[in-house]
Amino acid sequence: MSTSNTSRPMVDMRDVHKWFGHNHVLRGIDLSVPKGTVATVLGPSGSGKSTALRCINQLEEIGAGRIYVDGELMGYREGERNGQPALYRLHPKAIARQRANIGMVFQRFNLFPHMTGLGNVTEAQIQVLGRDKDEAHERSVYQLERVGLGDRMEHYPAQLSGGQQQRVAIARALAMDPELMLFDEPTSALDPELVGEVLSVMRDLAATGMTMIVVTHEIGFAREVADQVVFMADGVVVERGTPDEVLSNPREPRTQDFLSKVL
Amino acid sequence: MTLQQAPTARQPERIHAIPVRYPGRWVSAVVVLVLAAMAVHALVTNEIFAWPTVWHYLFAKPVLRGVEWTLIFTVSSMVLAIVLAVLLAVMRETPNPVMRWVAWFYIWLFRGTPVYVQLFLWGLLAVIFPRLSLGIPFGPDFWHFTTRDLVNAAVASILGLGLNEAAYLSEIVRAGLESVDHGQREAARALGMKDGPILRRIVLPQAMRVIVPPTGNETISMLKTTSLVIAVPFTLPGELNFATTAIGNRTFQPVPLAIVACIWYLAITSILMVGQHYLEKYYGRGFEPHGPVTTKPGRRTSRQAAINAAHTTPDMELIDDQGHVTKGGADR
């Protein structure tokens, strides 16, 4: 591995702003996630943490700033117009190509209800990566076994528990061989006794060296797995650091206040 | 009962209560049955219905030809309508304002005018535009043909019925597309899928659950609407209603021939309903738990049944749709 490769962060957000109408929801987010590390984003609801995550894979268009994933500018192409530097919005097809490199897991799972677990994991491999059916099938089986659902592949999402659905969703994202995984409150919609099985899959994934950004309320998971904890409130990053720094010895009163409520 | 018996072996005394009596149910059932018997009696004994004549003409050649044309009109106009309707529904959702306006105008025009008048005008297309051509508006023609060669009475009928139906169906399709949770598009987009495959593979198959029942309704309605092709002037293929009316008028027996038409329409409608049932079942896959479900379960109970069916909760009691607790699921 060359030094330039390891020093370049997987995700680099620079002064990212986002407006919903007149509502200024992201007010200058800076975030750098080195390759092979796990960042967890904490914060009260409405702090903009999910929006920030959705901006990374362009599910939301940003209003100002730049987002680079593995050195590639997301959503735009830098060019020139009339001798002046200018940003060109990328064609939806090019954005789709950028997204294929980034796996995303949603709070509400968003599995395709009309397809079996296997169908869910196989679909985009064929449609997006152009894999042939047999190869896609084989990789889907591998990923579903990896998340512990080898015996549930032919079940439709409605026949699975919430924890199993979320594990299928993780397998679906992993089958695309992403370099980066985004988790948007992956356990918030789960019954308490099902949270553990999803977190355990995520813990295993982190151990393989996958770069992950996890928006979560699971402080225990953050403490155990994260290399970096980011605390957001009101559209800004209030505090960042190692789990020890942010969770055990928070400097900012806003962080202390939040942690005293959730711990 | 002896003391040696374990307390769990004791059977609780079941309740065998005397049910509440509902005399009103008996009275209303008898009243309805008497009324039904009166209706059957009137149908069978009234000479005007002339049942022997009905049987005689039920499989007569012109009637069968009529059935054939009715089916041709129904199927081809519905196919045309469904294709156009999906196109119109997608056009109404595009970011392109010209497309949205055109789709809106189409629906406004075709829903806003009577189908009878539309059929009449389609029949007169060859009179209104004797020559159709492809070319630049106000500019030169590249290719042209005589309208009468291309748009005969049958084609005019299918165009008239199909284009009118498309306007109604497109609203059904649009409602179906909007019924699909936005998270579905988002998940597909996050996987890197493009808009075309997202619509084809993810959104439309789920929208079909909402689209199929009203479309079945429209198809059954179309079956009867085909009798309006009588509005198309000039030579007309005799569809079912036209054929039976013609025979009825000729033989001075309009009522039995109307019954013949009704029997055929009912028969075809029944077949269409069976087809609709299977289509609904196909597009409902994944939305219902497998296995026999006798009562229609609510959302929560069906989810519970699905979780039970998956046998993923060992050492726990299973709860069926009726809320009964059954044996533990540790049989895996």
Side-chain angles (χ1 to χ4, degrees):
Chain A
M1 210 179 287
S2 70
T3 45
S4 69
N5 200 28
T6 46
S7 63
R8 188 170 68 196
M10 178 57 80
V11 176
D12 192 8
M13 297 177 83
R14 294 184 197 161
D15 195 26
V16 170
H17 289 255
K18 168 75 188 170
W19 287 266
F20 286 119
H22 292 295
N23 194 6
H24 196 175
V25 291
L26 295 184
R27 302 159 176 258
I29 302 289
D30 289 289
L31 178 69
S32 179
V33 181
K35 279 181 186 169
T37 69
V38 176
T40 57
V41 185
L42 309 176
S45 55
S47 59
K49 54 193 194 303
S50 284
T51 306
L53 196 73
R54 293 158 55 81
C55 285
I56 295 173
N57 70 351
Q58 298 289 304
L59 287 180
E60 304 287 354
E61 207 172 319
I62 61 176
R66 300 281 187 278
I67 298 175
Y68 297 90
V69 172
D70 201 14
E72 189 180 338
L73 180 62
M74 295 302 288
Y76 302 92
R77 181 171 57 78
E78 274 162 335
E80 242 183 37
R81 194 173 200 179
N82 305 328
Q84 299 289 322
L87 274 188
Y88 289 85
R89 180 72 180 155
L90 287 181
H91 191 274
K93 282 179 185 169
I95 292 176
R97 209 172 301 125
Q98 290 185 328
R99 281 181 188 136
N101 244 350
I102 304 171
M104 182 147 186
V105 175
F106 298 86
Q107 182 179 352
R108 302 282 334 163
F109 327 138
N110 293 351
L111 289 182
F112 307 133
H114 60 303
M115 295 177 181
T116 61
L118 196 61
N120 266 277
V121 183
T122 309
E123 183 65 21
Q125 295 184 60
I126 295 171
Q127 297 288 337
V128 177
L129 302 179
R131 286 182 183 152
D132 70 62
K133 265 192 179 150
D134 291 340
E135 191 195 353
H137 183 271
E138 201 175 297
R139 284 168 183 254
S140 300
V141 170
Y142 168 74
Q143 293 295 352
L144 282 164
E145 278 170 353
R146 192 172 160 191
V147 298
L149 289 173
D151 55 344
R152 297 278 178 280
M153 293 189 291
E154 298 297 341
H155 286 62
Y156 285 95
Q159 298 171 304
L160 298 172
S161 70
Q164 293 171 337
Q165 290 189 52
Q166 194 61 297
R167 279 145 67 197
V168 172
I170 293 172
R172 176 172 74 176
L174 289 177
M176 303 296 286
D177 297 332
E179 295 176 42
L180 166 69
M181 285 285 289
L182 308 175
F183 293 86
D184 187 5
E185 303 200 26
T187 57
S188 296
L190 294 177
D191 292 339
E193 76 268 25
L194 303 177
V195 169
E197 63 187 56
V198 172
L199 290 183
S200 130
V201 165
M202 290 168 63
R203 206 174 286 126
D204 293 347
L205 185 60
T208 65
M210 173 66 74
T211 313
M212 293 162 62
I213 303 179
V214 186
V215 171
T216 186
H217 294 296
E218 297 291 332
I219 308 289
F221 176 82
R223 195 188 294 280
E224 186 192 341
V225 179
D227 299 287
Q228 174 181 197
V229 174
V230 178
F231 177 73
M232 277 181 71
D234 302 322
V236 294
V237 173
V238 175
E239 193 165 352
R240 83 178 78 225
T242 64
D244 243 15
E245 287 165 356
V246 178
L247 298 175
S248 306
N249 308 294
R251 289 188 311 271
E252 301 292 329
R254 192 80 183 76
T255 319
Q256 289 161 4
D257 182 49
F258 176 78
L259 288 173
S260 72
K261 281 173 185 155
V262 298
L263 280 178
Chain B
M1 188 158 298
T2 60
L3 284 171
Q4 279 80 9
Q5 270 181 306
T8 47
R10 263 180 60 221
Q11 287 293 321
E13 193 191 336
R14 296 288 191 102
I15 293 174
H16 296 287
I18 293 120
V20 180
R21 309 289 177 199
Y22 295 99
R25 289 182 187 171
W26 288 96
V27 174
S28 56
V30 167
V31 169
V32 169
L33 283 174
V34 167
L35 286 174
M38 285 161 75
V40 170
H41 174 260
L43 276 173
V44 172
T45 54
N46 194 327
E47 298 270 306
I48 295 284
F49 289 112
W51 290 100
T53 316
V54 171
W55 306 134
H56 179 259
Y57 282 108
L58 193 55
F59 296 101
K61 203 154 194 177
V63 173
L64 291 180
R65 288 284 299 159
V67 170
E68 194 184 322
W69 273 110
T70 292
L71 285 174
I72 290 171
F73 285 149
T74 306
V75 171
S76 16
S77 59
M78 281 310 287
V79 168
L80 175 66
I82 288 168
V83 172
L84 267 175
V86 173
L87 197 71
L88 284 165
V90 171
M91 279 168 75
R92 284 200 71 176
E93 308 276 301
T94 57
N96 187 337
V98 175
M99 290 294 178
R100 285 204 306 271
W101 293 337
V102 167
W104 184 90
F105 178 80
Y106 180 99
I107 293 164
W108 173 77
L109 184 71
F110 280 85
R111 282 204 309 188
T113 52
V115 64
Y116 193 86
V117 176
Q118 288 173 32
L119 283 164
F120 177 71
L121 289 173
W122 278 109
L124 290 178
L125 192 70
V127 178
I128 302 168
F129 303 107
R131 218 180 65 128
L132 292 178
S133 61
L134 274 181
I136 298 164
F138 308 106
D141 289 349
F142 302 126
W143 185 62
H144 66 87
F145 50 83
T146 313
T147 307
R148 198 179 298 278
D149 297 342
L150 195 78
V151 186
N152 59 28
V155 173
S157 305
I158 291 166
L159 281 174
L161 292 169
L163 267 63
N164 177 73
E165 183 58 35
Y168 288 92
L169 267 185
S170 78
E171 291 291 280
I172 292 171
V173 173
R174 191 165 66 97
L177 294 179
E178 281 176 6
S179 76
V180 177
D181 179 35
H182 189 71
Q184 293 291 310
R185 273 169 251 240
E186 213 155 61
R189 235 178 265 146
L191 285 164
M193 288 176 74
K194 293 169 197 150
D195 287 349
I198 291 176
L199 180 73
R200 220 173 49 245
R201 301 281 307 170
I202 308 298
V203 178
L204 257 184
Q206 294 182 57
M208 289 304 274
R209 261 178 82 235
V210 173
I211 293 171
V212 168
T215 302
N217 219 11
E218 291 291 311
T219 309
I220 288 167
S221 171
M222 175 61 85
L223 178 71
K224 275 70 66 75
T225 307
T226 53
S227 60
L228 290 185
V229 300
I230 198 165
V232 177
F234 308 120
T235 47
L236 182 81
E239 47 71 44
L240 178 55
N241 186 55
F242 183 88
T244 53
T245 309
I247 299 170
N249 290 344
R250 200 176 64 234
T251 60
F252 301 106
Q253 303 206 64
V255 175
L257 268 299
I259 300 284
V260 167
C262 284
I263 289 172
W264 274 111
Y265 282 124
L266 272 171
I268 301 167
T269 301
S270 309
I271 294 166
L272 288 174
M273 283 167 74
V274 172
Q276 182 182 339
H277 170 78
Y278 283 104
L279 263 183
E280 281 179 28
K281 218 168 147 185
Y282 175 76
Y283 285 110
R285 73 194 189 283
F287 289 88
E288 271 176 48
H290 286 176
V293 179
T294 43
T295 52
K296 215 173 166 69
R299 223 183 122 71
R300 180 164 281 280
T301 52
S302 68
R303 198 176 123 81
Q304 183 63 52
I307 293 168
N308 289 346
H311 291 290
T312 51
T313 47
D315 309 318
M316 286 179 73
E317 287 157 330
L318 293 180
I319 304 163
D320 68 16
D321 332 318
Q322 280 83 33
H324 298 143
V325 176
T326 53
K327 67 180 171 65
D331 53 337
R332 287 189 45 86

